[in-house]
Amino acid sequence: MTQMRSVLIVDDEKNIADTVALILRGAGYAARAAYDGSVALSMTRDRPPDLILTDVLMPGMNGIDLAIAALREFPSCHVLLCSGQAASADMLEDARSHGHHFEVLPKPIEPDDLLKKISDVFTAQT
Amino acid sequence: MENAHNENRELRRLLRDLVALATTPAGWVGRDRAHIAESVADIVLHTLRAEAVYVCFESPRRIEIVRNAHYPGFADEVRRVWPDSATANLYIETITAPKWPRPLHIAVQPIGISADAGFIAVGCSASTFPSEGESLLLSVAANQTAVALQTARLRTEADLERQRLRDVLAQAPAAMGLLAGPEHRWVYVNENYVHVTGRHSASEFIGKTLLQSLPEIEHQPFLHILDEVYRTGEPYVGREVKAMLNRAHSGQSEEAYFDFVYQPVLNAEGVSDGILVHAVEVTDKVTARMAIEQSEERLRAIVETTPECVKVVAANGTLLHMNSAGLSMIGADCAEAAIGRNIYEVIAPEDRARFREFNEAVCRGQRGSIEFDIVGLKGVRRHMETHSAPLRQPDGNVVQLAVTRDVTERKRAEEEQRRKEEEFHVLADAVPQLVWMANPDGWIFWYNSRWYEYTGTTPEQMQGWRWQSVHDPAVLPEVLERWKGSINTGQPFEMTFPLRGADGSFRPFLTRVIPVRDSSGTITRWFGTNTDVSSEVEVQRKLQNALVASQSLAAIVESSDDAIVGKDLNGIVSSWNPAAERIFGYTAREMIGRSITTIIPPELQDDEKRILATIGRGERIEHFETVRVRKGGERIEVSLTISPVRDEPGKIIGAAKIARDITQQKKAERALRTSERLAAVGRLAATVAHEINNPLAAVTNFVYLGKQRASRDDVREFLTGAQEELKRISHLTRQTLGFYRETQGASCITLGSTLQSLVPVFSYKTRHQAIQIRTEIRQDPQIYAVPGEIRQLVANLLSNSIDAVGGAGKIHVRVSASSSYNGRRATGVKFTIADSGPGISLETLARLFEPFFTTKKDVGTGLGLWICRNIVEKHHGWIRVKTSTVPGRSGTVFSVFLPANFQGTAPVSTQDRSLRAV
């Protein structure tokens, strides 16, 4: 029996976070939503998800800092970033120069494309 | 019989010899000691009928003669038995020797008083030997032998003495000779005598009379003198007596002088036997003295005849000597009237002390000159000039030797000259020109005061050749060359050259120099004038400048890119340059004489009136942008600058118009404005897009969820349609504006890393469409660029290629180091992206980079490549495209070059860097 994959969706846009969570739950994932980077990090500590899907540009803790912090504590966790802004590319560049390689999804992304991407992540793991 | 006769005759001869020996020693004269010894031995042997004789002379050299045919060792036996050689007595002994046939009775007789001189030993077997007579005979023989030896010794000494005398005579520096007898026959002459008479050897004299040997002296006094000396026995001494001698054997007698002595040689009776001649040639000395005497004579004559006063004055002023010219100068009628008087008496009283001082200085050994006045003995005043030198007298006193000239006339002339020159200088100082005078060699000795006023110099700074300091160094060499040329040739000098004034500025001077000649034509001085011609030169220079200016203006007008047109105040064209022909299409021939309104559009004809009115007021119109009409009717935009043209008095007579064709410039400006507008729109859109992305994502999700949950088919269809439209929106924002950034500074980046960060962004899409992207980063040099813009550039090109490929296909991206040349070489990076799409049609290619041009009717914004081009050009790079639409080999390659440092690269005009479609 396979345990349901858990996904934590992080986006300061509540509508986005909630709809994505709905879409993922519909696809069979145990999805939770968070609207703030630091909240997402404490939720991760309470119950580490298999995948964190986070927006990059957020007030407070941004997606990259969240991803780096979460991976430090939970190396087995997967992270997917999504961004609609070029500024996020600079932040990614900065993260890469520090040894962190993250995959970035464009925003908006087709829900089908997103589900395929998430599926690919877990397939690659097994 | 024969022998007896011979013997008797021999005996008689011996007796005679013996008698001769005993009586006349002179008979032995000429015999030497060995000869005497032999004679004695033979005489004794024969006269005493001896059987052995031994004669020995001891000193100075032993000589022994032995006659002993049958008695060997006789001499040794004698010396063995003879006891006392010191006695003078006869010694008698009888000796028996083994080898002798019989015993001998010997007698030894010393020669002279001592046997030291020698002895005679005689051996005889007769028992009576020696009888008394034989002893006596032996004694006589010994005495006579001693006399003969003495004579021989004296004779030898006399011979030596005579030889020595001969040598002395021969080597004597004087000519010597000995004349014998009243006929003066030569007995002896030495070599010097042979030499001074010009003969070759003594043999030409010996045995001959004086007259025979020297025939040239026949009528000279020497024979007479010799006769007198011979007759009287009194010697004669001659001093510097002239003799004419034929020394060169040419028949020509030459003059010679001799000091000589004729010394009579007297015999015992005091009568002359001969004359000793002793002569020394003194020709050189006499000749030299005569030369001196002659020159002294000449000098005396010169001194006497010279027109100048020559005098000798003692240190105390006494006049010791004065020539006749001097005597007449001081008014003395005869030498006696002046010589011995004190010269100071005739010196003018005011000059007397000075002259005395001068005289004393000369007598102390100094040389010098002095000018002074005299008042002659007859009261006439003259001005004199004296040159003096010290003269040492034979008595050791130093006196003054003076040559004095009457310079009264000269001084008067000099004063006259000085007065004239002063007058001239006053005159020369009055003229406005600079005036100067130079010696014949060019040495300037005088300038007028105008020269010093103008140049601000002093006479010391200017004299001679120092005037060069006020010349222009650039012109000076030519001045010097020509001036020296004139000095050498005597030709007048004329030249205009600058001279520096006291204020430091140069002004041009016309300089004329003419030679002043004396009556013989010799140049005595140069007379120069410098006339300020700056005003004339200024006029010439202005004319020259005007000519040059008009020529260069004409050249400028001819070669100008701008139309330059001249017109009068009625607008009639007077000039029309090639650029005007080009811009307006009318030739100069067509336009000159026509109205400028020809090129003015009908609706702007009023402009010309306004322009002419403005020009008429003397104002200038600058950069007036308007429209003109070309010959073909085409309108062009021009920028006009119009200036009034004035004649020399300043009256406005027309206008000069410069027209620049700004049609292209205007087009460019319009294009630029469009670009800027678009860029603003783009920036606005990008900003909006960022804000759109989030709600768009939410809406997308909502629609998705709605569609999942919709139970009605028509609702699902509506939502599917909504999804399609949402895709178009998200594509619009993401592909064209999604990465656009607001202003961001340039930094060092690499294209390769930018590419690598972007490829994953597109990876979901490429994988989805089965597109293989191969990235090849050969070199990845750093470039200085704006990161966001470069990312946008790469993203747009990648996105375009992905769209072009459409379905399954390949994209090959390559980054490499490269360089480009566009006026200057620039290194940088080259980025190529090749896709296997269908290629671009020719029509599309032509408009590829235009804004809002798109082939993607559904999703394209038409801004992607336009934005790319702007980014590339901003970075001073280039973007090119190659494409092929041939089926099977179709595809498109975009190449982008970005220089390493665009800010260090010269910008190139927008037009020039439009991309080249191939």
Side-chain angles (χ1 to χ4, degrees), chain B residues 348-361:
Chain B
E350 70 272 20
D351 290 334
R352 201 168 286 162
R354 201 161 51 86
F355 184 87
R356 182 198 303 270
E357 207 171 283
F358 175 76
N359 184 45
E360 287 165 1

Side-chain angles (χ1 to χ4, degrees), chain B residues 122-143:
Chain B
V122 182
C124 194
S125 58
S127 60
T128 59
F129 185 82
S131 66
E132 268 187 34
E134 284 167 335
S135 297
L136 177 65
L137 189 64
L138 192 56
S139 170
V140 169
N143 284 340

Side-chain angles (χ1 to χ4, degrees), chain B residues 95-371:
Chain B
I95 300 172
T96 302
K99 291 181 179 173
W100 288 0
R102 64 193 66 94
L104 281 181
H105 303 286
I106 62 168
V108 181
Q109 173 63 52
I111 297 168
I113 57 165
S114 163
D116 286 348
F119 55 88
I120 302 168
V122 182
C124 194
S125 58
S127 60
T128 59
F129 185 82
S131 66
E132 268 187 34
E134 284 167 335
S135 297
L136 177 65
L137 189 64
L138 192 56
S139 170
V140 169
N143 284 340
Q144 288 304 103
T145 299
V147 170
L149 283 175
Q150 177 70 15
T151 305
R153 186 177 59 79
L154 292 173
R155 177 81 198 198
T156 302
E157 283 175 7
D159 280 353
L160 285 172
E161 196 57 37
R162 204 166 20 251
Q163 188 57 44
R164 202 155 49 235
L165 182 63
R166 222 174 262 269
D167 289 347
V168 168
L169 292 178
Q171 290 162 10
M176 296 183 76
L178 185 60
L179 292 164
E183 72 276 30
H184 312 305
R185 192 173 295 278
W186 287 111
V187 175
Y188 170 78
V189 291
N190 72 354
E191 277 188 32
N192 207 318
Y193 196 96
V194 173
H195 177 72
V196 299
T197 52
R199 270 41 180 194
H200 298 106
S201 78
S203 61
E204 293 174 59
F205 295 90
I206 305 299
K208 294 178 179 165
T209 67
L210 179 64
L211 194 53
Q212 285 168 341
S213 60
L214 298 169
E216 63 265 36
I217 64 163
E218 182 173 6
H219 298 294
Q220 297 181 36
F222 304 106
L223 283 172
H224 178 69
I225 295 169
L226 282 170
D227 286 343
E228 278 299 301
V229 170
Y230 192 84
R231 189 176 61 76
T232 62
E234 295 294 325
Y236 178 89
V237 177
R239 290 280 170 227
E240 297 178 0
V241 178
K242 184 166 87 175
M244 301 301 292
L245 293 172
N246 184 16
R247 295 206 270 209
H249 310 287
S250 59
Q252 191 77 36
S253 291
E254 66 181 78
E255 209 173 76
Y257 292 86
F258 294 94
D259 287 346
F260 67 89
V261 180
Y262 288 162
Q263 175 72 46
V265 181
L266 303 179
N267 62 12
E269 289 83 30
V271 176
S272 296
D273 263 351
I275 297 168
L276 179 70
V277 178
H278 179 283
V280 175
E281 181 166 5
V282 292
T283 308
D284 289 347
K285 188 175 96 184
V286 171
T287 312
R289 198 190 62 237
M290 283 166 61
I292 290 168
E293 284 168 1
Q294 278 179 6
S295 80
E296 278 179 354
E297 188 55 36
R298 269 200 303 276
L299 268 179
R300 198 168 296 121
I302 289 167
V303 166
E304 271 310 302
T305 55
T306 185
E308 295 179 352
C309 164
V310 179
K311 64 179 184 279
V312 177
V313 181
N316 63 5
T318 305
L319 183 63
L320 301 175
H321 175 82
M322 182 174 264
N323 68 349
S324 49
L327 293 173
S328 83
M329 278 181 202
I330 63 169
D333 293 328
C334 59
E336 290 71 28
I339 305 299
R341 294 179 69 156
N342 194 303
I343 193 72
Y344 300 152
E345 290 170 17
V346 298
I347 308 297
E350 70 272 20
D351 290 334
R352 201 168 286 162
R354 201 161 51 86
F355 184 87
R356 182 198 303 270
E357 207 171 283
F358 175 76
N359 184 45
E360 287 165 1
V362 171
C363 291
R364 284 195 301 270
Q366 293 177 20
R367 292 170 168 269
S369 302
I370 187 171
E371 282 192 33

Side-chain angles (χ1 to χ4, degrees), chain B residues 508-533:
Chain B
F509 282 80
L510 170 64
T511 298
R512 286 202 176 89
V513 190
I514 53 165
V516 179
R517 298 174 189 271
D518 64 12
S519 55
S520 71
T522 308
I523 295 172
T524 56
R525 65 175 48 165
W526 292 88
F527 183 79
T529 59
N530 308 84
T531 309
D532 184 345
V533 291

Side-chain angles (χ1 to χ4, degrees), chain B residues 492-515:
Chain B
F493 173 95
E494 182 172 328
M495 182 177 175
T496 297
F497 50 69
L499 289 175
R500 191 178 59 228
D503 61 356
S505 68
F506 283 93
R507 294 169 79 88
F509 282 80
L510 170 64
T511 298
R512 286 202 176 89
V513 190
I514 53 165

